[in-house]
Amino acid sequence: MPGMPPSTPPTRFVYLGPEGTFTETALSRAITSTEGSHDPRPSVAAALSAVRSGDADAALVPFENSVEGSVPATMDGLADGEPLVITREVFLEVAFVLAVRPGTALADVRSLASHPHALAQTSRRLAELLPGAPPVPATSTAAAAAAVAAGEVDAAVCAPIAASRYGLEILADDVADHAGAVTRFVLVSRPGPLPPPTGNDKTSLVAVVGDRTGALLELLTEFSVRGISLTRIESRPTRQRLGVYSFSLDCEGHVAEARVGEALAALHRLCDDVRFLGSYPREDGRENRTVPAESADAAFADAEDWLARLRSGEL
């Protein structure tokens, strides 16, 4: 599906809802309300589908967490279906609260709900506070808060904004097992003009390697020999059969750089499939490693000129 023209910035944003999720908070910090509409969707799949269908220009969805790792719904949603590209990343420190309907005491709580990642990040603390309350998975932390407000469950692990949004009381603050957890969100849109290189960028992709000895080593070598550092790599099943995996990875640099472009071209030749997920500014507060002289664009250009002279008979 064609992307938007370069002169048309996104104005219709969707996010993992309902209202009151950490994703909404992250979107409000990245995109002001004056830049366009902010509409919730009930799931990651629904948010991505809205972009693919043209009902939205861009979607903000959770990608990974510093405690629980990647979000499978987002990983798989970007690897499958019509291509989408990441244009921006947003980092948000998450703080969980235990919220209930007004007048509810801890002794009254018999059930609680939250997103599976939130439940995993608060399991020890919840076991101390509510040892007899079975956790119920929800599509989001805000959906759990809405369920409490509707009387479907007694308590929710959610963001403070969700507790306020749904008229709940907070029984306990900071219920996370690990303080300072950070979630990374990504803003995705249909393919189109990429953000220009800033000198401190990331490139994301998914590569499917064959079931053969040394396949992963071949993939990694293409980055290593060009002085490209990986910032994330993990495997995901392709659902074809055991032994065939896709590798989702982020590397330093922009596809417009010669070394990164050459590495991606090499993967296209070596791998069963490669899906480009975008090049975008790095926003995790870290700086890319210095590019070795032999891996700089000038070195690639000089090498190409030398090869062209050889092919033309000049020595």
Side-chain angles (χ1 to χ4, degrees):
M1 183 176 293
M4 295 175 294
S7 59
T8 306
T11 58
R12 299 171 300 159
F13 298 92
V14 295
Y15 62 91
L16 173 62
E19 294 181 356
T21 58
F22 288 108
T23 313
E24 181 189 17
T25 301
L27 180 61
S28 66
R29 293 186 182 182
I31 307 294
T32 66
S33 58
T34 59
E35 293 181 72
S37 60
H38 297 187
D39 296 315
R41 290 294 186 271
S43 65
V44 169
L48 298 181
S49 178
V51 178
R52 289 186 169 113
S53 68
D55 290 339
D57 299 325
L60 191 77
V61 290
F63 194 78
E64 63 175 328
N65 178 269
S66 61
V67 176
E68 286 301 303
S70 64
V71 179
T74 300
M75 303 285 286
D76 296 339
L78 293 178
D80 300 326
E82 291 294 320
L84 295 172
V85 293
I86 300 170
T87 61
R88 183 171 181 178
E89 63 180 6
V90 181
F91 290 81
L92 180 71
E93 186 170 331
V94 295
F96 298 106
V97 299
L98 182 65
V100 296
R101 290 184 297 279
T104 303
L106 274 178
D108 301 324
V109 176
R110 295 292 181 267
S111 62
L112 65 98
S114 194
H115 186 274
H117 268 216
L119 292 174
Q121 292 178 64
T122 57
S123 60
R124 289 203 301 270
R125 182 67 173 136
L126 292 177
E128 297 171 358
L129 293 171
L130 302 168
V136 177
T139 56
S140 69
T141 54
V148 173
E152 298 170 4
V153 291
D154 296 328
V157 174
C158 61
I161 186 177
S164 174
R165 189 75 57 88
Y166 293 98
L168 306 180
E169 289 183 351
I170 295 176
L171 283 184
D173 289 300
D174 300 324
V175 294
D177 297 336
H178 302 276
V182 174
T183 296
R184 176 191 178 197
F185 301 84
V186 291
L187 187 69
V188 300
S189 63
R190 296 183 297 281
L194 300 175
T198 65
N200 196 47
D201 304 290
K202 284 181 184 176
T203 292
S204 297
L205 58 96
V206 176
V208 179
V209 300
D211 184 11
R212 64 182 187 278
T213 302
L216 178 57
L217 178 60
E218 290 177 353
L219 183 152
L220 297 176
T221 298
E222 297 301 336
F223 292 98
S224 177
V225 297
R226 294 173 177 87
I228 302 172
S229 295
L230 299 182
T231 60
R232 180 188 62 85
I233 181 170
E234 56 188 291
S235 64
R236 294 290 298 165
T238 61
R239 304 185 186 89
Q240 298 174 8
R241 60 183 175 83
L242 286 176
V244 180
Y245 298 93
S246 66
F247 288 90
S248 176
L249 60 88
D250 301 332
C251 70
E252 293 184 346
H254 194 286
V255 70
E257 299 174 31
R259 63 185 183 133
V260 178
E262 190 176 276
L264 266 59
L267 294 186
H268 185 270
R269 175 174 54 84
L270 293 172
C271 297
D272 292 352
D273 187 33
V274 177
R275 170 166 288 202
F276 174 70
L277 295 182
S279 291
Y280 47 90
R282 185 172 189 171
E283 297 189 14
D284 57 3
R286 299 181 181 181
E287 295 293 325
N288 285 356
R289 292 167 177 78
T290 301
V291 179
E294 65 273 14
S295 297
D297 281 4
F300 278 91
D302 182 64
E304 290 177 1
D305 290 342
W306 174 79
L307 181 59
R309 291 195 301 272
L310 293 184
R311 287 172 171 169
S312 65
E314 300 177 23
L315 298 180

